[in-house]
Amino acid sequence: MAPTTALTADQANVRLHELTVIDVRTRGEYASGHLPGAHNIPLDRLDAALPALKTAADRGDLLIVCASGARSAQACRRLADQGITAATLTGGTTAWTQLGHDTHRPAGTRTPWPMDRQVRLAAGSLVLTGLIAGQCWNTARWLSAGVAGGLVFSALTNTCGMAKILAKLPHNQPRATDLDDTLAALTGRPRGRKAGDAPVH
């Protein structure tokens, strides 16, 4: 298993020019603002990107980034299991922006809500629906109770099942061409070619 390390936002900012930054948030979160030069590979697509990440790690240090540091730490553990060394950004993009460091946004991109805001909307809507429907059907109140229990479990375990579900919605998924371009950039292949393609002479 490869070692994992952590960098603070200030440490990462000093070394940014020498790091390959991988943002494991959803496409919507990435579009809302990311570290300069960061590549977007959502956490649920990490396994497909392992060969490209191995190639990138062989060329230099990887920095894995998410909103708070929880998903990036999880990604680093998965990479370590594959023998890929990577560092996580402590506090994620939240700490990065709080310290006033620069963020970039893709030009001309419609920005979906950040994941934490999507989770609050979904959870609040489900709780409200359960309470209103519970006026007519008592069993509907279990919906509100279930969501409340899920939020408590989420806080205690620092995981979020609802975020994992919402991340699979189309507006949070990278387009196939975006992911292909990202993997090509990480491996140094020309755009439009895939791993295993014959070299062009």
Side-chain angles (χ1 to χ4, degrees):
M1 179 184 292
T4 60
T5 57
L7 296 178
T8 66
D10 286 335
Q11 289 171 331
N13 187 50
V14 170
R15 297 187 54 201
L16 196 59
H17 65 283
E18 64 186 48
L19 297 169
T20 299
V21 182
I22 307 297
D23 192 321
V24 296
R25 297 177 298 163
T26 66
R27 178 168 68 103
E29 292 175 289
Y30 175 80
S32 70
H34 55 267
L35 273 66
H39 301 279
N40 184 214
I41 302 177
L43 185 60
D44 63 354
R45 307 295 291 274
L46 194 67
D47 290 341
L50 286 174
L53 291 170
K54 177 75 168 71
T55 300
D58 288 342
R59 289 199 308 262
D61 293 338
L62 296 182
L63 176 65
I64 313 298
V65 178
C66 69
S68 66
R71 282 175 285 176
S72 61
Q74 181 182 345
C76 283
R77 288 192 295 271
R78 284 165 63 178
L79 292 176
D81 289 341
Q82 300 299 317
I84 302 172
T85 301
T88 182
L89 179 64
T90 303
T93 55
T94 300
W96 179 269
T97 54
Q98 284 175 347
L99 290 172
H101 297 308
D102 189 28
T103 57
H104 290 179
R105 290 176 175 78
T109 303
R110 180 178 174 270
T111 304
W113 286 356
M115 184 54 66
D116 64 325
R117 188 176 180 189
Q118 293 183 46
V119 168
R120 291 197 304 268
L121 175 65
S125 297
L126 290 171
V127 169
L128 188 59
T129 298
L131 290 174
I132 292 173
Q135 300 297 315
C136 300
W137 304 283
N138 285 335
T139 54
R141 293 178 181 164
W142 284 105
L143 175 62
S144 300
V147 173
L151 291 172
V152 171
F153 178 80
S154 174
L156 292 175
T157 61
N158 199 25
T159 61
C160 187
M162 187 174 290
K164 290 180 181 177
I165 294 170
L166 292 173
K168 297 186 181 301
L169 294 177
H171 67 273
N172 284 322
Q173 288 295 311
R175 295 180 299 239
T177 53
D178 293 341
L179 189 57
D180 287 344
D181 287 347
T182 296
L183 299 183
L186 290 173
T187 57
R189 296 193 314 269
R191 296 172 72 172
R193 289 181 60 210
K194 297 180 181 178
D197 287 351
V200 177
H201 297 290

